[in-house]
Amino acid sequence: MKLIKASDYDELSKIAALLIKEELDNKPALNLGLATGGTPIGTYEELIRLNGEGQIDFSLVKTFNLDEYAGLDAKHPSSYSYYMDNLLFKHINIKKENTHIPSGDAADLQEECRAYDELIESMGGIDLQILGIGTNGHIAFNEPADRLSIGTSVVDLTPSTIMDNSRYFDSIDLVPTTAISMGIGSILKAKKIILLISGQSKRNVLKKLMEIDYLSSQLPASFLLLHDNVILVADMEALGEAI
Ligand code: GLP
């Protein structure tokens, strides 16, 4: 894993956006894997700015999001579909039909999972995957557990993730307890991965990730060690004393 240190969140966001720009410059029809959560918001703001200035073009880009809450339809304000539309898609020149997010309200969630992996595969796979990390080491919604899914699957959220994510809901009781998430295998198939880690609340998990030299299903992000093209961009608040 290659580490890029950013002085603060703003710099992290600028670095991440430039890394994405680099890939887009090389391949305008990029298949871009996208993440949600608080961390990538600054990166998306930068992408919007660069797109507005004509420095990047999304007209040929296809996007694939990592996950979606089960039971929420795309119009629900806490759904990841709504998040993506409002924080990125509606501000850039991407074609709506080229954006893909699992449907949390699909009638058959298992079928939705199977179809999602197939869709990604049929479109040539993900070139660049943007990732955040949960305070408990989850990537997408692959939570610490005895077993981790290889492909996209329906997953149970842990109490700590439900607590962390309750800030996006009116009350903690409204946070779904299950989600559709790309699996560890689906994520590792991406040709390149950018992992963004920001803020003091991630200091502990970042330290664990930098120290671990084996795979642990209790630290799902440790599986990124299997990939030979991961760039970790972390800010000083997250790095703390770790470096
Ligand atoms: C959610 C998402 C993850 C994301 C994580 C961290 O659980 N499913 O993809 O990485 O939140 O979010 P934040 O960046 O807000 O800490």
Side-chain angles (χ1 to χ4, degrees), residues 88-242:
L88 184 64
F89 297 152
K90 74 176 185 196
H91 306 287
I92 59 175
N93 70 329
I94 196 159
K95 297 191 180 92
K96 183 75 176 133
E97 65 269 26
N98 285 345
T99 66
H100 306 281
I101 304 180
S103 296
D105 63 342
D108 183 342
L109 290 180
Q110 305 299 340
E111 172 55 21
E112 179 69 11
C113 293
R114 198 199 51 73
Y116 197 61
D117 279 329
E118 212 173 86
L119 174 81
I120 295 173
E121 202 82 4
S122 73
M123 296 200 168
I126 291 174
D127 297 303
L128 176 66
Q129 177 66 57
I130 309 303
L131 274 187
I133 191 170
T135 52
N136 64 2
H138 74 223
I139 48 174
F141 266 137
N142 295 283
E143 297 277 40
D146 289 344
R147 300 154 65 119
L148 296 175
S149 289
I150 298 168
T152 299
S153 70
V154 179
V155 291
D156 291 325
L157 305 186
T158 60
S160 81
T161 294
I162 291 172
M163 174 63 86
D164 284 351
N165 290 2
S166 63
R167 65 188 192 278
Y168 298 111
F169 291 81
D170 289 339
S171 113
I172 192 163
D173 306 326
L174 298 174
V175 184
T177 54
T178 54
I180 292 183
S181 174
M182 270 168 61
I184 297 287
S186 327
I187 294 169
L188 289 178
K189 278 187 189 162
K191 296 181 188 77
K192 183 170 183 172
I193 297 174
I194 297 176
L195 172 62
L196 303 176
I197 308 190
S198 167
Q200 221 175 327
S201 66
K202 301 287 169 65
R203 199 174 279 188
N204 198 20
V205 73
L206 175 56
K207 188 168 186 295
K208 279 190 197 160
L209 184 61
M210 295 188 62
E211 285 173 1
I212 202 165
D213 57 1
Y214 54 88
L215 303 175
S216 168
S217 63
Q218 297 302 328
L219 185 70
S222 66
F223 282 77
L224 295 173
L225 298 173
L226 291 173
H227 198 288
D228 61 8
N229 200 359
V230 179
I231 300 181
L232 162 61
V233 189
D235 64 17
M236 291 320 284
E237 271 200 38
L239 286 162
E241 302 296 311

Side-chain angles (χ1 to χ4, degrees), residues 68-92:
E68 179 60 283
Y69 290 108
L72 300 194
D73 67 54
K75 291 202 179 74
H76 190 290
S78 302
S79 73
Y80 286 160
S81 255
Y82 188 92
Y83 166 114
M84 289 311 308
D85 279 342
N86 278 286
L87 297 178
L88 184 64
F89 297 152
K90 74 176 185 196
H91 306 287
I92 59 175

